[in-house]
Amino acid sequence: QVQLVESGGGLVQPGGSLRLSCAAPSGTVFNINAMGWYRQAPGKGRELVAVIAGNDITTYADSVKGRFTISRSNAKNTVYLQMNSLQPEDTAVYYCNAQILYGPTYWGKGTLVTVSS
């Protein structure tokens, strides 16, 4: 089973920024279509944060529009999430996924983002 690898989480003060990265191990994943970020806050279900399709069309949750930016490097099978103006309600475990064209969807183990003063 392919495991994506997330990085970049941590503790940040309200109003601060973080950049998350997620990569598929080299040589393990091919024909990636969409890549996305989801999050799960304590006691809540997993929710969509942002998705970038194979044609680079992006979709964002209303709660992060204007603050978060998703981007990808196809050459590196990597997806990024730039998070600005972070708020305590953004505290969650952030997961990335990669949807293979006509294939399965792979997930990472998650990276914790804590926004607190």
mmCIF file of all heavy atoms in Angstrom, residues 2-10 20-23 36-40 46 83 92-97 106-114:
data_model
loop_
_atom_site.group_PDB
_atom_site.id
_atom_site.type_symbol
_atom_site.label_atom_id
_atom_site.label_comp_id
_atom_site.label_asym_id
_atom_site.label_seq_id
_atom_site.Cartn_x
_atom_site.Cartn_y
_atom_site.Cartn_z
ATOM 1 N N VAL A 2 0.632 2.142 -0.937
ATOM 2 C CA VAL A 2 1.422 3.364 -1.024
ATOM 3 C C VAL A 2 1.017 4.322 0.080
ATOM 4 O O VAL A 2 -0.173 4.534 0.336
ATOM 5 C CB VAL A 2 1.224 4.020 -2.396
ATOM 6 C CG1 VAL A 2 1.944 5.363 -2.443
ATOM 7 C CG2 VAL A 2 1.738 3.107 -3.500
ATOM 8 N N GLN A 3 1.986 4.897 0.744
ATOM 9 C CA GLN A 3 1.740 5.870 1.808
ATOM 10 C C GLN A 3 2.351 7.198 1.407
ATOM 11 O O GLN A 3 3.556 7.293 1.183
ATOM 12 C CB GLN A 3 2.373 5.396 3.110
ATOM 13 C CG GLN A 3 2.009 6.246 4.316
ATOM 14 C CD GLN A 3 0.704 5.833 4.955
ATOM 15 O OE1 GLN A 3 0.574 4.749 5.488
ATOM 16 N NE2 GLN A 3 -0.273 6.725 4.914
ATOM 17 N N LEU A 4 1.501 8.211 1.309
ATOM 18 C CA LEU A 4 2.020 9.546 1.046
ATOM 19 C C LEU A 4 2.670 10.082 2.320
ATOM 20 O O LEU A 4 2.323 9.662 3.428
ATOM 21 C CB LEU A 4 0.890 10.476 0.605
ATOM 22 C CG LEU A 4 0.040 9.998 -0.572
ATOM 23 C CD1 LEU A 4 -1.003 11.037 -0.927
ATOM 24 C CD2 LEU A 4 0.911 9.679 -1.777
ATOM 25 N N VAL A 5 3.595 11.019 2.158
ATOM 26 C CA VAL A 5 4.335 11.549 3.297
ATOM 27 C C VAL A 5 4.104 13.045 3.419
ATOM 28 O O VAL A 5 4.502 13.807 2.527
ATOM 29 C CB VAL A 5 5.843 11.256 3.152
ATOM 30 C CG1 VAL A 5 6.601 11.820 4.351
ATOM 31 C CG2 VAL A 5 6.084 9.759 3.018
ATOM 32 N N GLU A 6 3.458 13.455 4.520
ATOM 33 C CA GLU A 6 3.209 14.868 4.775
ATOM 34 C C GLU A 6 4.302 15.441 5.675
ATOM 35 O O GLU A 6 4.908 14.722 6.470
ATOM 36 C CB GLU A 6 1.855 15.083 5.482
ATOM 37 C CG GLU A 6 0.649 14.619 4.710
ATOM 38 C CD GLU A 6 -0.003 13.410 5.318
ATOM 39 O OE1 GLU A 6 0.698 12.644 6.008
ATOM 40 O OE2 GLU A 6 -1.209 13.209 5.108
ATOM 41 N N SER A 7 4.515 16.743 5.557
ATOM 42 C CA SER A 7 5.443 17.447 6.439
ATOM 43 C C SER A 7 5.023 18.905 6.531
ATOM 44 O O SER A 7 4.233 19.388 5.712
ATOM 45 C CB SER A 7 6.880 17.331 5.918
ATOM 46 O OG SER A 7 6.996 17.927 4.649
ATOM 47 N N GLY A 8 5.570 19.589 7.542
ATOM 48 C CA GLY A 8 5.335 21.020 7.660
ATOM 49 C C GLY A 8 4.392 21.442 8.763
ATOM 50 O O GLY A 8 4.195 22.635 8.988
ATOM 51 N N GLY A 9 3.801 20.483 9.453
ATOM 52 C CA GLY A 9 2.903 20.840 10.544
ATOM 53 C C GLY A 9 3.670 21.359 11.747
ATOM 54 O O GLY A 9 4.898 21.307 11.787
ATOM 55 N N GLY A 10 2.930 21.870 12.726
ATOM 56 C CA GLY A 10 3.572 22.360 13.934
ATOM 57 C C GLY A 10 2.685 23.312 14.686
ATOM 58 O O GLY A 10 1.489 23.425 14.419
ATOM 59 N N LEU A 20 2.428 23.314 4.284
ATOM 60 C CA LEU A 20 2.440 21.861 4.320
ATOM 61 C C LEU A 20 2.875 21.306 2.963
ATOM 62 O O LEU A 20 2.563 21.883 1.921
ATOM 63 C CB LEU A 20 1.057 21.312 4.666
ATOM 64 C CG LEU A 20 0.406 21.821 5.944
ATOM 65 C CD1 LEU A 20 -0.938 21.121 6.161
ATOM 66 C CD2 LEU A 20 1.310 21.632 7.137
ATOM 67 N N SER A 21 3.581 20.191 3.023
ATOM 68 C CA SER A 21 3.986 19.491 1.813
ATOM 69 C C SER A 21 3.563 18.035 1.908
ATOM 70 O O SER A 21 3.477 17.475 2.998
ATOM 71 C CB SER A 21 5.503 19.551 1.625
ATOM 72 O OG SER A 21 5.955 20.875 1.504
ATOM 73 N N CYS A 22 3.317 17.435 0.757
ATOM 74 C CA CYS A 22 2.937 16.024 0.721
ATOM 75 C C CYS A 22 3.500 15.423 -0.555
ATOM 76 O O CYS A 22 3.245 15.938 -1.639
ATOM 77 C CB CYS A 22 1.426 15.882 0.756
ATOM 78 S SG CYS A 22 0.834 14.216 0.425
ATOM 79 N N ALA A 23 4.224 14.338 -0.414
ATOM 80 C CA ALA A 23 4.850 13.728 -1.571
ATOM 81 C C ALA A 23 4.577 12.237 -1.623
ATOM 82 O O ALA A 23 4.512 11.563 -0.597
ATOM 83 C CB ALA A 23 6.356 13.968 -1.550
ATOM 84 N N GLY A 36 -5.267 16.432 -2.940
ATOM 85 C CA GLY A 36 -6.030 17.270 -2.041
ATOM 86 C C GLY A 36 -5.551 17.234 -0.611
ATOM 87 O O GLY A 36 -4.705 16.407 -0.238
ATOM 88 N N TRP A 37 -6.093 18.175 0.160
ATOM 89 C CA TRP A 37 -5.837 18.254 1.594
ATOM 90 C C TRP A 37 -7.177 18.183 2.327
ATOM 91 O O TRP A 37 -8.152 18.845 1.936
ATOM 92 C CB TRP A 37 -5.124 19.550 1.952
ATOM 93 C CG TRP A 37 -3.704 19.590 1.528
ATOM 94 C CD1 TRP A 37 -3.207 20.132 0.385
ATOM 95 C CD2 TRP A 37 -2.582 19.055 2.238
ATOM 96 N NE1 TRP A 37 -1.850 19.962 0.331
ATOM 97 C CE2 TRP A 37 -1.433 19.306 1.464
ATOM 98 C CE3 TRP A 37 -2.440 18.388 3.453
ATOM 99 C CZ2 TRP A 37 -0.152 18.914 1.858
ATOM 100 C CZ3 TRP A 37 -1.171 17.992 3.854
ATOM 101 C CH2 TRP A 37 -0.041 18.258 3.063
ATOM 102 N N TYR A 38 -7.194 17.409 3.388
ATOM 103 C CA TYR A 38 -8.348 17.284 4.267
ATOM 104 C C TYR A 38 -7.856 17.506 5.684
ATOM 105 O O TYR A 38 -6.650 17.445 5.950
ATOM 106 C CB TYR A 38 -8.979 15.878 4.140
ATOM 107 C CG TYR A 38 -9.589 15.626 2.793
ATOM 108 C CD1 TYR A 38 -8.800 15.435 1.656
ATOM 109 C CD2 TYR A 38 -10.976 15.582 2.637
ATOM 110 C CE1 TYR A 38 -9.361 15.211 0.416
ATOM 111 C CE2 TYR A 38 -11.549 15.359 1.396
ATOM 112 C CZ TYR A 38 -10.735 15.176 0.299
ATOM 113 O OH TYR A 38 -11.299 14.962 -0.932
ATOM 114 N N ARG A 39 -8.773 17.759 6.594
ATOM 115 C CA ARG A 39 -8.374 17.919 7.987
ATOM 116 C C ARG A 39 -9.435 17.342 8.910
ATOM 117 O O ARG A 39 -10.607 17.237 8.548
ATOM 118 C CB ARG A 39 -8.121 19.390 8.324
ATOM 119 C CG ARG A 39 -9.360 20.274 8.302
ATOM 120 C CD ARG A 39 -8.955 21.733 8.509
ATOM 121 N NE ARG A 39 -10.122 22.620 8.509
ATOM 122 C CZ ARG A 39 -10.024 23.948 8.549
ATOM 123 N NH1 ARG A 39 -8.834 24.544 8.603
ATOM 124 N NH2 ARG A 39 -11.128 24.680 8.549
ATOM 125 N N GLN A 40 -8.964 16.979 10.092
ATOM 126 C CA GLN A 40 -9.866 16.445 11.100
ATOM 127 C C GLN A 40 -9.518 17.074 12.436
ATOM 128 O O GLN A 40 -8.437 16.845 12.981
ATOM 129 C CB GLN A 40 -9.763 14.920 11.187
ATOM 130 C CG GLN A 40 -10.778 14.294 12.112
ATOM 131 C CD GLN A 40 -10.909 12.799 11.917
ATOM 132 O OE1 GLN A 40 -10.076 12.159 11.274
ATOM 133 N NE2 GLN A 40 -11.963 12.216 12.439
ATOM 134 N N ARG A 46 -13.665 14.133 9.287
ATOM 135 C CA ARG A 46 -12.700 14.649 8.320
ATOM 136 C C ARG A 46 -13.429 15.517 7.300
ATOM 137 O O ARG A 46 -14.485 15.137 6.782
ATOM 138 C CB ARG A 46 -11.983 13.492 7.628
ATOM 139 C CG ARG A 46 -10.800 13.899 6.793
ATOM 140 C CD ARG A 46 -10.044 12.693 6.266
ATOM 141 N NE ARG A 46 -9.465 11.894 7.341
ATOM 142 C CZ ARG A 46 -8.606 10.898 7.139
ATOM 143 N NH1 ARG A 46 -8.237 10.595 5.911
ATOM 144 N NH2 ARG A 46 -8.139 10.210 8.160
ATOM 145 N N MET A 83 -0.744 28.062 4.136
ATOM 146 C CA MET A 83 -1.804 28.485 5.048
ATOM 147 C C MET A 83 -1.400 29.797 5.712
ATOM 148 O O MET A 83 -0.391 29.848 6.420
ATOM 149 C CB MET A 83 -2.048 27.410 6.112
ATOM 150 C CG MET A 83 -2.348 26.033 5.541
ATOM 151 S SD MET A 83 -2.786 24.821 6.799
ATOM 152 C CE MET A 83 -1.244 24.692 7.672
ATOM 153 N N ALA A 92 -6.005 21.114 13.657
ATOM 154 C CA ALA A 92 -6.486 19.809 13.203
ATOM 155 C C ALA A 92 -5.299 18.975 12.727
ATOM 156 O O ALA A 92 -4.188 19.494 12.575
ATOM 157 C CB ALA A 92 -7.470 19.978 12.049
ATOM 158 N N VAL A 93 -5.565 17.705 12.491
ATOM 159 C CA VAL A 93 -4.621 16.869 11.766
ATOM 160 C C VAL A 93 -4.946 17.022 10.281
ATOM 161 O O VAL A 93 -6.106 16.846 9.875
ATOM 162 C CB VAL A 93 -4.711 15.397 12.185
ATOM 163 C CG1 VAL A 93 -3.756 14.551 11.351
ATOM 164 C CG2 VAL A 93 -4.405 15.252 13.670
ATOM 165 N N TYR A 94 -3.951 17.359 9.501
ATOM 166 C CA TYR A 94 -4.127 17.585 8.075
ATOM 167 C C TYR A 94 -3.617 16.372 7.304
ATOM 168 O O TYR A 94 -2.481 15.918 7.519
ATOM 169 C CB TYR A 94 -3.386 18.852 7.638
ATOM 170 C CG TYR A 94 -4.110 20.115 8.044
ATOM 171 C CD1 TYR A 94 -4.169 20.501 9.380
ATOM 172 C CD2 TYR A 94 -4.748 20.920 7.101
ATOM 173 C CE1 TYR A 94 -4.852 21.644 9.767
ATOM 174 C CE2 TYR A 94 -5.428 22.066 7.471
ATOM 175 C CZ TYR A 94 -5.476 22.421 8.802
ATOM 176 O OH TYR A 94 -6.157 23.550 9.183
ATOM 177 N N TYR A 95 -4.463 15.873 6.414
ATOM 178 C CA TYR A 95 -4.145 14.702 5.602
ATOM 179 C C TYR A 95 -4.125 15.084 4.132
ATOM 180 O O TYR A 95 -4.967 15.864 3.678
ATOM 181 C CB TYR A 95 -5.200 13.615 5.781
ATOM 182 C CG TYR A 95 -5.366 13.100 7.192
ATOM 183 C CD1 TYR A 95 -6.261 13.698 8.076
ATOM 184 C CD2 TYR A 95 -4.649 11.992 7.633
ATOM 185 C CE1 TYR A 95 -6.430 13.226 9.365
ATOM 186 C CE2 TYR A 95 -4.816 11.509 8.920
ATOM 187 C CZ TYR A 95 -5.703 12.139 9.783
ATOM 188 O OH TYR A 95 -5.860 11.652 11.053
ATOM 189 N N CYS A 96 -3.198 14.505 3.391
ATOM 190 C CA CYS A 96 -3.220 14.708 1.950
ATOM 191 C C CYS A 96 -3.650 13.415 1.269
ATOM 192 O O CYS A 96 -3.548 12.322 1.854
ATOM 193 C CB CYS A 96 -1.862 15.139 1.423
ATOM 194 S SG CYS A 96 -0.603 13.868 1.466
ATOM 195 N N ASN A 97 -4.157 13.547 0.057
ATOM 196 C CA ASN A 97 -4.449 12.362 -0.732
ATOM 197 C C ASN A 97 -4.097 12.589 -2.191
ATOM 198 O O ASN A 97 -3.922 13.724 -2.645
ATOM 199 C CB ASN A 97 -5.895 11.897 -0.545
ATOM 200 C CG ASN A 97 -6.920 12.717 -1.284
ATOM 201 O OD1 ASN A 97 -6.600 13.677 -1.974
ATOM 202 N ND2 ASN A 97 -8.178 12.349 -1.155
ATOM 203 N N TYR A 106 -4.807 7.299 -2.611
ATOM 204 C CA TYR A 106 -3.855 7.052 -1.537
ATOM 205 C C TYR A 106 -3.860 8.212 -0.553
ATOM 206 O O TYR A 106 -4.084 9.355 -0.942
ATOM 207 C CB TYR A 106 -2.446 6.867 -2.105
ATOM 208 C CG TYR A 106 -2.317 5.688 -3.028
ATOM 209 C CD1 TYR A 106 -2.032 5.859 -4.380
ATOM 210 C CD2 TYR A 106 -2.485 4.390 -2.557
ATOM 211 C CE1 TYR A 106 -1.903 4.775 -5.237
ATOM 212 C CE2 TYR A 106 -2.366 3.300 -3.409
ATOM 213 C CZ TYR A 106 -2.082 3.500 -4.740
ATOM 214 O OH TYR A 106 -1.978 2.419 -5.573
ATOM 215 N N TRP A 107 -3.556 7.886 0.714
ATOM 216 C CA TRP A 107 -3.563 8.875 1.778
ATOM 217 C C TRP A 107 -2.243 8.896 2.531
ATOM 218 O O TRP A 107 -1.500 7.916 2.529
ATOM 219 C CB TRP A 107 -4.670 8.546 2.789
ATOM 220 C CG TRP A 107 -6.046 8.753 2.270
ATOM 221 C CD1 TRP A 107 -6.791 7.866 1.550
ATOM 222 C CD2 TRP A 107 -6.855 9.921 2.424
ATOM 223 N NE1 TRP A 107 -8.011 8.409 1.250
ATOM 224 C CE2 TRP A 107 -8.081 9.669 1.769
ATOM 225 C CE3 TRP A 107 -6.669 11.154 3.046
ATOM 226 C CZ2 TRP A 107 -9.116 10.619 1.723
ATOM 227 C CZ3 TRP A 107 -7.695 12.093 2.999
ATOM 228 C CH2 TRP A 107 -8.894 11.821 2.351
ATOM 229 N N GLY A 108 -1.982 10.023 3.177
ATOM 230 C CA GLY A 108 -0.885 10.108 4.116
ATOM 231 C C GLY A 108 -1.365 9.829 5.522
ATOM 232 O O GLY A 108 -2.569 9.679 5.758
ATOM 233 N N LYS A 109 -0.423 9.796 6.465
ATOM 234 C CA LYS A 109 -0.772 9.518 7.860
ATOM 235 C C LYS A 109 -1.231 10.757 8.600
ATOM 236 O O LYS A 109 -1.794 10.654 9.701
ATOM 237 C CB LYS A 109 0.436 8.917 8.581
ATOM 238 C CG LYS A 109 0.793 7.513 8.129
ATOM 239 C CD LYS A 109 1.934 6.958 8.969
ATOM 240 C CE LYS A 109 2.234 5.518 8.574
ATOM 241 N NZ LYS A 109 3.336 4.963 9.403
ATOM 242 N N GLY A 110 -0.986 11.929 8.030
ATOM 243 C CA GLY A 110 -1.421 13.163 8.648
ATOM 244 C C GLY A 110 -0.304 13.916 9.350
ATOM 245 O O GLY A 110 0.676 13.325 9.797
ATOM 246 N N THR A 111 -0.477 15.234 9.416
ATOM 247 C CA THR A 111 0.454 16.090 10.142
ATOM 248 C C THR A 111 -0.366 17.066 10.991
ATOM 249 O O THR A 111 -1.355 17.623 10.513
ATOM 250 C CB THR A 111 1.402 16.833 9.180
ATOM 251 O OG1 THR A 111 2.363 17.582 9.925
ATOM 252 C CG2 THR A 111 0.659 17.781 8.252
ATOM 253 N N LEU A 112 0.043 17.241 12.235
ATOM 254 C CA LEU A 112 -0.732 18.050 13.172
ATOM 255 C C LEU A 112 -0.396 19.527 13.043
ATOM 256 O O LEU A 112 0.778 19.908 13.067
ATOM 257 C CB LEU A 112 -0.464 17.581 14.605
ATOM 258 C CG LEU A 112 -1.151 18.367 15.719
ATOM 259 C CD1 LEU A 112 -2.677 18.256 15.600
ATOM 260 C CD2 LEU A 112 -0.682 17.864 17.082
ATOM 261 N N VAL A 113 -1.430 20.327 12.931
ATOM 262 C CA VAL A 113 -1.305 21.785 12.935
ATOM 263 C C VAL A 113 -2.036 22.299 14.168
ATOM 264 O O VAL A 113 -3.233 22.036 14.336
ATOM 265 C CB VAL A 113 -1.900 22.406 11.660
ATOM 266 C CG1 VAL A 113 -1.948 23.928 11.774
ATOM 267 C CG2 VAL A 113 -1.098 21.979 10.437
ATOM 268 N N THR A 114 -1.323 23.011 15.000
ATOM 269 C CA THR A 114 -1.908 23.589 16.210
ATOM 270 C C THR A 114 -1.745 25.098 16.170
ATOM 271 O O THR A 114 -0.628 25.605 16.034
ATOM 272 C CB THR A 114 -1.238 23.039 17.474
ATOM 273 O OG1 THR A 114 -1.333 21.608 17.482
ATOM 274 C CG2 THR A 114 -1.905 23.590 18.726
#
